[in-house]
Every structure is written in C-alpha cells, then in structure tokens.
Amino acid sequence: MYKLKTHSGAKKRFKVTGTGKILRAHANKSHILNKKTRKRKRNLRSIAVVDKTNVFQVENLIPYK
C-alpha cells in the first residue's frame, strides 16, 4: 500500500494521547475578545477531546500520528 499524505493543517491542530483520544483547541479565542466574559475566555483556554462523530474524519487527516 502506498504512503498516505498527512494534512499539514491538521497535524498542527490535533494531538493524540497515549490511549488514542484526539485532542483539539477551542475556537473563538483569537479576536473580538471585549464582549466575551473572563469566565468564557478562561474556559476556551483548556483543551478538549474531539467528538466521536468527527474522530474518523480527523484520523484520516493524520494517519501516522
């Protein structure tokens, strides 16, 4: 079987844990931060696990990670 290409954008955005879960960052943290509360911005800092409905798509983008 031929080598699969890794998606360059996806390899920068996702990490895989030792147990195989895929981690991602939250969106909406880059600009227009004035109207967002401190609590909301603080919660956006944390990392999240990719939803089970999207795991298959992300795994295809990062096959060797």
Side-chain angles (χ1 to χ4, degrees), residues 31-56:
H31 59 89
I32 314 175
L33 299 172
N34 295 339
K35 61 178 82 170
K36 294 170 190 157
T37 63
R38 280 185 198 163
K39 181 180 178 181
R40 184 172 166 195
K41 289 185 280 193
R42 185 170 61 243
N43 290 334
L44 289 173
R45 271 187 233 145
S46 62
I47 54 175
V49 179
V50 172
D51 192 70
K52 64 180 180 182
T53 57
N54 298 322
V55 167
F56 180 73

mmCIF file of all heavy atoms in Angstrom, residues 31-56:
data_model
loop_
_atom_site.group_PDB
_atom_site.id
_atom_site.type_symbol
_atom_site.label_atom_id
_atom_site.label_comp_id
_atom_site.label_asym_id
_atom_site.label_seq_id
_atom_site.Cartn_x
_atom_site.Cartn_y
_atom_site.Cartn_z
ATOM 1 N N HIS A 31 -9.908 36.752 18.382
ATOM 2 C CA HIS A 31 -10.188 38.190 18.317
ATOM 3 C C HIS A 31 -11.617 38.455 18.757
ATOM 4 O O HIS A 31 -12.364 37.529 19.054
ATOM 5 C CB HIS A 31 -9.924 38.743 16.912
ATOM 6 C CG HIS A 31 -10.737 38.084 15.846
ATOM 7 N ND1 HIS A 31 -11.981 38.508 15.479
ATOM 8 C CD2 HIS A 31 -10.485 37.006 15.077
ATOM 9 C CE1 HIS A 31 -12.454 37.738 14.516
ATOM 10 N NE2 HIS A 31 -11.573 36.812 14.266
ATOM 11 N N ILE A 32 -11.962 39.736 18.824
ATOM 12 C CA ILE A 32 -13.258 40.196 19.372
ATOM 13 C C ILE A 32 -13.443 39.646 20.780
ATOM 14 O O ILE A 32 -14.435 38.983 21.100
ATOM 15 C CB ILE A 32 -14.446 39.803 18.465
ATOM 16 C CG1 ILE A 32 -14.153 40.121 17.006
ATOM 17 C CG2 ILE A 32 -15.701 40.563 18.878
ATOM 18 C CD1 ILE A 32 -15.218 39.647 16.039
ATOM 19 N N LEU A 33 -12.457 39.911 21.632
ATOM 20 C CA LEU A 33 -12.477 39.357 22.976
ATOM 21 C C LEU A 33 -13.134 40.299 23.988
ATOM 22 O O LEU A 33 -13.354 39.894 25.128
ATOM 23 C CB LEU A 33 -11.055 39.016 23.424
ATOM 24 C CG LEU A 33 -10.345 37.972 22.552
ATOM 25 C CD1 LEU A 33 -8.897 37.850 22.951
ATOM 26 C CD2 LEU A 33 -11.036 36.636 22.641
ATOM 27 N N ASN A 34 -13.422 41.538 23.589
ATOM 28 C CA ASN A 34 -14.010 42.508 24.522
ATOM 29 C C ASN A 34 -15.366 42.073 25.038
ATOM 30 O O ASN A 34 -15.665 42.221 26.220
ATOM 31 C CB ASN A 34 -14.168 43.875 23.855
ATOM 32 C CG ASN A 34 -12.837 44.493 23.508
ATOM 33 O OD1 ASN A 34 -11.829 44.109 24.079
ATOM 34 N ND2 ASN A 34 -12.822 45.409 22.571
ATOM 35 N N LYS A 35 -16.188 41.559 24.164
ATOM 36 C CA LYS A 35 -17.565 41.221 24.547
ATOM 37 C C LYS A 35 -17.676 39.866 25.253
ATOM 38 O O LYS A 35 -18.728 39.534 25.763
ATOM 39 C CB LYS A 35 -18.476 41.254 23.329
ATOM 40 C CG LYS A 35 -18.104 40.279 22.235
ATOM 41 C CD LYS A 35 -19.081 40.320 21.072
ATOM 42 C CE LYS A 35 -18.768 41.454 20.129
ATOM 43 N NZ LYS A 35 -19.546 41.371 18.894
ATOM 44 N N LYS A 36 -16.590 39.097 25.260
ATOM 45 C CA LYS A 36 -16.617 37.800 25.924
ATOM 46 C C LYS A 36 -16.202 37.957 27.388
ATOM 47 O O LYS A 36 -15.278 38.702 27.700
ATOM 48 C CB LYS A 36 -15.671 36.830 25.215
ATOM 49 C CG LYS A 36 -16.150 36.508 23.803
ATOM 50 C CD LYS A 36 -15.146 35.766 22.996
ATOM 51 C CE LYS A 36 -15.618 35.708 21.542
ATOM 52 N NZ LYS A 36 -14.532 35.512 20.620
ATOM 53 N N THR A 37 -16.878 37.234 28.236
ATOM 54 C CA THR A 37 -16.597 37.348 29.670
ATOM 55 C C THR A 37 -15.278 36.665 30.018
ATOM 56 O O THR A 37 -14.784 35.824 29.267
ATOM 57 C CB THR A 37 -17.724 36.701 30.493
ATOM 58 O OG1 THR A 37 -17.756 35.303 30.189
ATOM 59 C CG2 THR A 37 -19.070 37.323 30.173
ATOM 60 N N ARG A 38 -14.734 37.031 31.178
ATOM 61 C CA ARG A 38 -13.497 36.405 31.644
ATOM 62 C C ARG A 38 -13.652 34.902 31.765
ATOM 63 O O ARG A 38 -12.771 34.136 31.396
ATOM 64 C CB ARG A 38 -13.121 36.949 33.016
ATOM 65 C CG ARG A 38 -12.448 38.262 32.987
ATOM 66 C CD ARG A 38 -12.040 38.606 34.391
ATOM 67 N NE ARG A 38 -11.761 40.022 34.485
ATOM 68 C CZ ARG A 38 -11.696 40.705 35.594
ATOM 69 N NH1 ARG A 38 -11.916 40.105 36.750
ATOM 70 N NH2 ARG A 38 -11.419 41.984 35.609
ATOM 71 N N LYS A 39 -14.776 34.514 32.299
ATOM 72 C CA LYS A 39 -15.028 33.083 32.503
ATOM 73 C C LYS A 39 -15.036 32.335 31.172
ATOM 74 O O LYS A 39 -14.461 31.238 31.055
ATOM 75 C CB LYS A 39 -16.363 32.913 33.224
ATOM 76 C CG LYS A 39 -16.727 31.476 33.522
ATOM 77 C CD LYS A 39 -18.052 31.405 34.239
ATOM 78 C CE LYS A 39 -18.455 29.979 34.512
ATOM 79 N NZ LYS A 39 -19.752 29.902 35.196
ATOM 80 N N ARG A 40 -15.677 32.923 30.192
ATOM 81 C CA ARG A 40 -15.758 32.273 28.884
ATOM 82 C C ARG A 40 -14.374 32.156 28.244
ATOM 83 O O ARG A 40 -14.006 31.101 27.718
ATOM 84 C CB ARG A 40 -16.683 33.089 27.986
ATOM 85 C CG ARG A 40 -16.925 32.487 26.629
ATOM 86 C CD ARG A 40 -18.007 33.266 25.914
ATOM 87 N NE ARG A 40 -18.051 32.940 24.514
ATOM 88 C CZ ARG A 40 -18.686 33.667 23.608
ATOM 89 N NH1 ARG A 40 -19.337 34.760 23.959
ATOM 90 N NH2 ARG A 40 -18.684 33.309 22.348
ATOM 91 N N LYS A 41 -13.581 33.233 28.318
ATOM 92 C CA LYS A 41 -12.231 33.206 27.742
ATOM 93 C C LYS A 41 -11.334 32.220 28.479
ATOM 94 O O LYS A 41 -10.517 31.524 27.870
ATOM 95 C CB LYS A 41 -11.612 34.604 27.781
ATOM 96 C CG LYS A 41 -12.266 35.563 26.804
ATOM 97 C CD LYS A 41 -11.570 36.893 26.767
ATOM 98 C CE LYS A 41 -11.973 37.766 27.917
ATOM 99 N NZ LYS A 41 -11.548 39.179 27.740
ATOM 100 N N ARG A 42 -11.487 32.139 29.789
ATOM 101 C CA ARG A 42 -10.698 31.211 30.590
ATOM 102 C C ARG A 42 -11.026 29.761 30.219
ATOM 103 O O ARG A 42 -10.139 28.919 30.102
ATOM 104 C CB ARG A 42 -10.968 31.464 32.070
ATOM 105 C CG ARG A 42 -10.113 30.654 33.014
ATOM 106 C CD ARG A 42 -10.255 31.131 34.442
ATOM 107 N NE ARG A 42 -11.622 31.018 34.937
ATOM 108 C CZ ARG A 42 -12.378 32.062 35.316
ATOM 109 N NH1 ARG A 42 -11.927 33.308 35.244
ATOM 110 N NH2 ARG A 42 -13.600 31.870 35.762
ATOM 111 N N ASN A 43 -12.312 29.486 30.019
ATOM 112 C CA ASN A 43 -12.723 28.128 29.647
ATOM 113 C C ASN A 43 -12.295 27.761 28.226
ATOM 114 O O ASN A 43 -12.095 26.581 27.919
ATOM 115 C CB ASN A 43 -14.236 27.969 29.804
ATOM 116 C CG ASN A 43 -14.657 27.962 31.250
ATOM 117 O OD1 ASN A 43 -13.869 27.600 32.128
ATOM 118 N ND2 ASN A 43 -15.886 28.368 31.525
ATOM 119 N N LEU A 44 -12.139 28.758 27.363
ATOM 120 C CA LEU A 44 -11.696 28.486 25.996
ATOM 121 C C LEU A 44 -10.216 28.122 25.931
ATOM 122 O O LEU A 44 -9.759 27.553 24.944
ATOM 123 C CB LEU A 44 -11.957 29.707 25.106
ATOM 124 C CG LEU A 44 -13.414 30.004 24.782
ATOM 125 C CD1 LEU A 44 -13.533 31.318 24.035
ATOM 126 C CD2 LEU A 44 -14.039 28.882 23.977
ATOM 127 N N ARG A 45 -9.460 28.451 26.986
ATOM 128 C CA ARG A 45 -8.038 28.107 27.018
ATOM 129 C C ARG A 45 -7.796 26.615 27.098
ATOM 130 O O ARG A 45 -6.810 26.111 26.577
ATOM 131 C CB ARG A 45 -7.377 28.746 28.245
ATOM 132 C CG ARG A 45 -6.858 30.124 28.017
ATOM 133 C CD ARG A 45 -6.089 30.556 29.262
ATOM 134 N NE ARG A 45 -6.595 31.827 29.729
ATOM 135 C CZ ARG A 45 -6.685 32.205 30.993
ATOM 136 N NH1 ARG A 45 -6.307 31.385 31.960
ATOM 137 N NH2 ARG A 45 -7.137 33.380 31.325
ATOM 138 N N SER A 46 -8.684 25.905 27.767
ATOM 139 C CA SER A 46 -8.465 24.482 28.003
ATOM 140 C C SER A 46 -8.590 23.683 26.708
ATOM 141 O O SER A 46 -9.235 24.123 25.752
ATOM 142 C CB SER A 46 -9.478 23.967 29.015
ATOM 143 O OG SER A 46 -10.784 24.113 28.516
ATOM 144 N N ILE A 47 -7.976 22.506 26.711
ATOM 145 C CA ILE A 47 -8.066 21.644 25.536
ATOM 146 C C ILE A 47 -9.291 20.743 25.666
ATOM 147 O O ILE A 47 -9.778 20.501 26.764
ATOM 148 C CB ILE A 47 -6.789 20.802 25.339
ATOM 149 C CG1 ILE A 47 -6.455 20.022 26.601
ATOM 150 C CG2 ILE A 47 -5.639 21.662 24.919
ATOM 151 C CD1 ILE A 47 -5.297 19.089 26.450
ATOM 152 N N ALA A 48 -9.787 20.266 24.542
ATOM 153 C CA ALA A 48 -10.982 19.434 24.526
ATOM 154 C C ALA A 48 -10.705 18.179 23.711
ATOM 155 O O ALA A 48 -9.772 18.137 22.904
ATOM 156 C CB ALA A 48 -12.149 20.203 23.920
ATOM 157 N N VAL A 49 -11.523 17.182 23.916
ATOM 158 C CA VAL A 49 -11.426 15.932 23.155
ATOM 159 C C VAL A 49 -12.332 16.046 21.934
ATOM 160 O O VAL A 49 -13.441 16.577 22.020
ATOM 161 C CB VAL A 49 -11.849 14.738 24.034
ATOM 162 C CG1 VAL A 49 -11.785 13.432 23.254
ATOM 163 C CG2 VAL A 49 -10.970 14.653 25.269
ATOM 164 N N VAL A 50 -11.853 15.577 20.800
ATOM 165 C CA VAL A 50 -12.647 15.605 19.570
ATOM 166 C C VAL A 50 -13.873 14.719 19.755
ATOM 167 O O VAL A 50 -13.780 13.612 20.296
ATOM 168 C CB VAL A 50 -11.794 15.130 18.377
ATOM 169 C CG1 VAL A 50 -12.633 14.959 17.126
ATOM 170 C CG2 VAL A 50 -10.668 16.108 18.121
ATOM 171 N N ASP A 51 -15.027 15.192 19.310
ATOM 172 C CA ASP A 51 -16.273 14.447 19.436
ATOM 173 C C ASP A 51 -16.213 13.152 18.642
ATOM 174 O O ASP A 51 -15.554 13.080 17.601
ATOM 175 C CB ASP A 51 -17.432 15.319 18.933
ATOM 176 C CG ASP A 51 -18.775 14.728 19.297
ATOM 177 O OD1 ASP A 51 -19.128 14.720 20.483
ATOM 178 O OD2 ASP A 51 -19.472 14.254 18.382
ATOM 179 N N LYS A 52 -16.907 12.134 19.136
ATOM 180 C CA LYS A 52 -16.840 10.809 18.499
ATOM 181 C C LYS A 52 -17.367 10.820 17.069
ATOM 182 O O LYS A 52 -16.976 9.983 16.258
ATOM 183 C CB LYS A 52 -17.598 9.785 19.329
ATOM 184 C CG LYS A 52 -19.072 10.036 19.447
ATOM 185 C CD LYS A 52 -19.765 8.969 20.283
ATOM 186 C CE LYS A 52 -21.246 9.253 20.374
ATOM 187 N NZ LYS A 52 -21.937 8.266 21.201
ATOM 188 N N THR A 53 -18.221 11.795 16.719
ATOM 189 C CA THR A 53 -18.739 11.875 15.353
ATOM 190 C C THR A 53 -17.688 12.381 14.368
ATOM 191 O O THR A 53 -17.824 12.173 13.165
ATOM 192 C CB THR A 53 -19.963 12.795 15.290
ATOM 193 O OG1 THR A 53 -19.598 14.088 15.786
ATOM 194 C CG2 THR A 53 -21.095 12.249 16.115
ATOM 195 N N ASN A 54 -16.634 13.049 14.860
ATOM 196 C CA ASN A 54 -15.599 13.600 13.991
ATOM 197 C C ASN A 54 -14.283 12.835 14.046
ATOM 198 O O ASN A 54 -13.361 13.156 13.308
ATOM 199 C CB ASN A 54 -15.322 15.056 14.370
ATOM 200 C CG ASN A 54 -16.541 15.925 14.188
ATOM 201 O OD1 ASN A 54 -17.296 15.753 13.247
ATOM 202 N ND2 ASN A 54 -16.750 16.845 15.104
ATOM 203 N N VAL A 55 -14.185 11.841 14.906
ATOM 204 C CA VAL A 55 -12.919 11.126 15.095
ATOM 205 C C VAL A 55 -12.469 10.466 13.798
ATOM 206 O O VAL A 55 -11.292 10.554 13.430
ATOM 207 C CB VAL A 55 -13.047 10.084 16.230
ATOM 208 C CG1 VAL A 55 -11.865 9.133 16.234
ATOM 209 C CG2 VAL A 55 -13.149 10.787 17.558
ATOM 210 N N PHE A 56 -13.360 9.833 13.073
ATOM 211 C CA PHE A 56 -12.996 9.132 11.844
ATOM 212 C C PHE A 56 -12.408 10.096 10.822
ATOM 213 O O PHE A 56 -11.400 9.798 10.167
ATOM 214 C CB PHE A 56 -14.227 8.423 11.265
ATOM 215 C CG PHE A 56 -13.943 7.667 10.001
ATOM 216 C CD1 PHE A 56 -13.231 6.478 10.039
ATOM 217 C CD2 PHE A 56 -14.373 8.143 8.771
ATOM 218 C CE1 PHE A 56 -12.949 5.771 8.874
ATOM 219 C CE2 PHE A 56 -14.107 7.452 7.602
ATOM 220 C CZ PHE A 56 -13.396 6.263 7.658
#
